[in-house]
Amino acid sequence: MLPAPVDIVLFDLGGVLYDPGGVAPLREMAGIDNDDELWRRWLSCRWARDYEAGRCSDQAFAQGVVEDWSLALTPDEFLTAFGSWPNGPYEGAEELVRDTMAARPVGCLSNTNAKHWAAHFTHWDVLHELHWRFLSFELGHVKPDREVFEAVAAQLPTPPDQVLFLDDNLINVEGARALGFQAERVQGVGQARQALVARGVLG
C-alpha cells in the first residue's frame, strides 16, 4: 500500500539541519559509547525533559543532570559546556529548506530549550520563514511523547498521514508514526534530501 501524498514537511533541527554539537562531550562526560543509547538516556532523563519542556530553571536542570548522571563537573561547569554545544547549520541545510519550501509548506519540530534557542537558533534567518515552528519549550511537551505529536497535529491544517516528519532519532520517528505521521529517520542534510526525493517532494 502506497503512503499518502506529502502535503507538509516537518524537519527536526539538531542532527538533521543543525549540528547539535553535544554528542561527543556528553558521551565523554557520561562514559557511554553508543550514540543511540546516549540519546535514549538523554530523551528519558527527567531533567532534560523538564528543561526542554520549559518546566525548570537553568540551575535546577544543571544540578539535576550532574547528580542523575554522576558527572564529574559542577552544575555551573556543565551549564557552561551545555550552552556552547550547538555548532550551527550543516552545510547545505539552508538550501535544502528553501528547496523544500518551494515545493511544500515547511515547519520544524524540535526538542530545544530557551537557552539554546536564544543563543543559537534565532540567528538563523531561514527558521523565521517557516510556516510553523514547533519548539518543545514553548509547547510544554517533548518528543517522543504522544502529547507533543497530538499538539502538533491539532495545529496543522492537514491530517498527520499527509505530513512527513524527518528526525535523526529512531525513538522520535517511532513516536510520530504511532500518531499517524509519515516519519523517516535521517541523519544530516544528505539523507534528508534523499528522503524527500524518495517521497516525491523534491525532484
Side-chain angles (χ1 to χ4, degrees):
M1 187 175 181
L2 294 175
V6 174
D7 289 342
I8 291 173
V9 175
L10 293 180
F11 289 102
D12 179 29
L13 296 179
V16 177
L17 300 176
Y18 209 96
D19 182 355
V23 176
L26 185 58
R27 188 195 302 123
E28 184 176 346
M29 291 175 191
I32 298 174
D33 293 331
N34 183 282
D35 286 354
D36 283 341
E37 175 59 29
L38 182 75
W39 283 116
R40 281 187 181 274
R41 183 172 176 188
W42 181 258
L43 291 169
S44 64
C45 172
R46 169 197 167 187
W47 297 104
R49 289 168 54 81
D50 281 356
Y51 189 57
E52 296 204 321
R55 294 194 293 260
C56 72
S57 67
D58 291 359
Q59 291 71 29
F61 161 67
Q63 181 75 36
V65 171
V66 166
E67 292 179 356
D68 191 44
W69 290 56
S70 300
L71 302 182
L73 297 171
T74 68
D76 285 345
E77 288 171 339
F78 172 77
L79 197 61
T80 297
F82 177 80
S84 68
W85 282 358
N87 287 327
Y90 290 127
E91 183 178 354
E94 184 163 339
E95 180 183 2
L96 176 63
V97 172
R98 294 194 184 283
D99 287 349
T100 308
M101 289 173 64
R104 299 289 192 280
V106 174
C108 66
L109 169 54
S110 181
N111 281 358
T112 189
N113 53 81
K115 185 179 184 70
H116 280 171
W117 184 257
H120 301 279
F121 294 104
T122 55
H123 305 297
W124 194 21
D125 290 343
V126 73
L127 295 184
H128 299 282
E129 300 173 24
L130 300 179
H131 292 82
W132 304 274
R133 292 189 302 276
F134 298 113
L135 310 174
S136 61
F137 73 94
E138 294 180 342
L139 291 171
H141 301 292
V142 294
K143 300 177 293 183
D145 292 0
R146 183 179 184 89
E147 290 82 2
V148 76
F149 296 108
E150 289 176 336
V152 169
Q155 295 183 56
L156 292 176
T158 208
D161 68 350
Q162 295 174 29
V163 178
L164 176 61
F165 174 52
L166 303 178
D167 195 288
D168 65 317
N169 280 304
L170 180 59
I171 190 172
N172 294 335
V173 169
E174 291 169 343
R177 288 175 178 170
L179 260 292
F181 288 84
Q182 297 185 50
E184 294 292 339
R185 185 185 191 187
V186 299
Q187 295 178 308
V189 171
Q191 289 186 16
R193 184 175 288 276
Q194 290 173 4
L196 291 167
V197 170
R199 295 301 185 99
V201 175
L202 298 181

